[in-house]
């Protein structure tokens, strides 16, 4: 009888330990699932932030046309090379603007002398002004 009681206790203890192990495994799986879900949500948040930042970098369509229209009003007057500096002279209406080659100047304009042309740019938009033979 004592032996039967000890076998029953051992069997009950085995069932209890199996049940405890199963509960621990279930708990661990739930925790891993929660961690995976948290990582997924973090990635979605990062993607949303990146898309928002990209949208902020792209200028609005109205700004593009305004800058392009403004760049279309500039005319190339001349290029003057003094020592190691090259100056580009532009005209906009009655106003003359002098810029150093490759350096941002007045009104955030940049003029770059390239073979056969002068590229003027502002806020990522550009216009190429052709060089004539006399320059």
């Amino acid at each position: 009888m004592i032996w039967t009681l000890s076998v029953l206790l051992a069997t009950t203890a085995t069932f209890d330990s199996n049940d405890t192990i199963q509960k621990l495994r279930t708990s661990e799986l739930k925790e891993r699932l929660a961690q995976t879900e948290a990582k997924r949500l973090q990635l979605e948040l990062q993607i949303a932030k990146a898309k928002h930042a990209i949208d902020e970098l792209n200028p609005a369509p109205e700004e593009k046309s305004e800058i392009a229209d403004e760049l279309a009003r500039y005319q190339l007057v001349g290029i003057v090379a003094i020592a190691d500096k090259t100056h580009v002279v532009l005209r906009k209406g009655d106003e003359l603007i002098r810029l150093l080659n490759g350096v941002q100047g007045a009104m955030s304009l940049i003029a770059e002398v390239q073979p056969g042309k002068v590229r003027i740019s502002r806020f990522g938009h550009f216009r190429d002004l052709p060089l004539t033979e006399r320059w």
Side-chain angles (χ1 to χ4, degrees):
M1 178 84 162
I2 294 177
W3 183 77
T4 307
L5 183 60
S6 62
V7 170
L8 283 175
L9 288 175
T11 307
T12 305
T14 304
F15 287 136
D16 286 342
S17 69
N18 284 342
D19 191 40
T20 304
I21 291 172
Q22 187 63 32
K23 286 180 182 177
L24 287 173
R25 286 181 181 162
T26 303
S27 173
E28 183 179 347
L29 288 174
K30 286 181 181 178
E31 184 178 334
R32 285 185 183 178
L33 182 63
Q35 289 174 349
T36 303
E37 182 67 14
K39 286 180 183 178
R40 185 186 66 79
L41 290 173
Q42 282 180 328
L43 287 174
E44 285 183 11
L45 179 62
Q46 287 176 347
I47 290 169
K49 284 181 179 179
K51 285 180 181 179
H52 182 69
I54 289 170
D55 289 342
E56 286 181 352
L57 289 176
N58 293 332
E62 297 170 9
E63 294 176 23
K64 288 182 183 178
S65 63
E66 288 177 20
I67 294 172
D69 288 343
E70 182 179 339
L71 290 177
R73 291 187 223 136
Y74 288 99
Q75 297 174 337
L76 181 62
V77 175
I79 299 173
V80 180
I82 302 173
D84 61 340
K85 295 181 180 179
T86 302
H87 298 269
V88 177
V89 181
L90 301 172
R91 178 191 342 243
K92 181 182 174 190
D94 294 334
E95 182 180 4
L96 290 176
I97 301 162
R98 185 183 65 163
L99 301 169
L100 280 172
N101 182 35
V103 178
Q104 185 172 346
M107 297 174 282
S108 300
L109 277 172
I110 300 173
E112 297 174 294
V113 179
Q114 299 176 353
K117 64 184 176 185
V118 173
R119 175 169 282 183
I120 57 173
S121 59
R122 183 174 186 211
F123 303 125
H125 302 279
F126 68 91
R127 178 174 173 229
D128 291 332
L129 302 171
L131 292 177
T132 62
E133 289 182 23
R134 58 184 176 200
W135 277 317

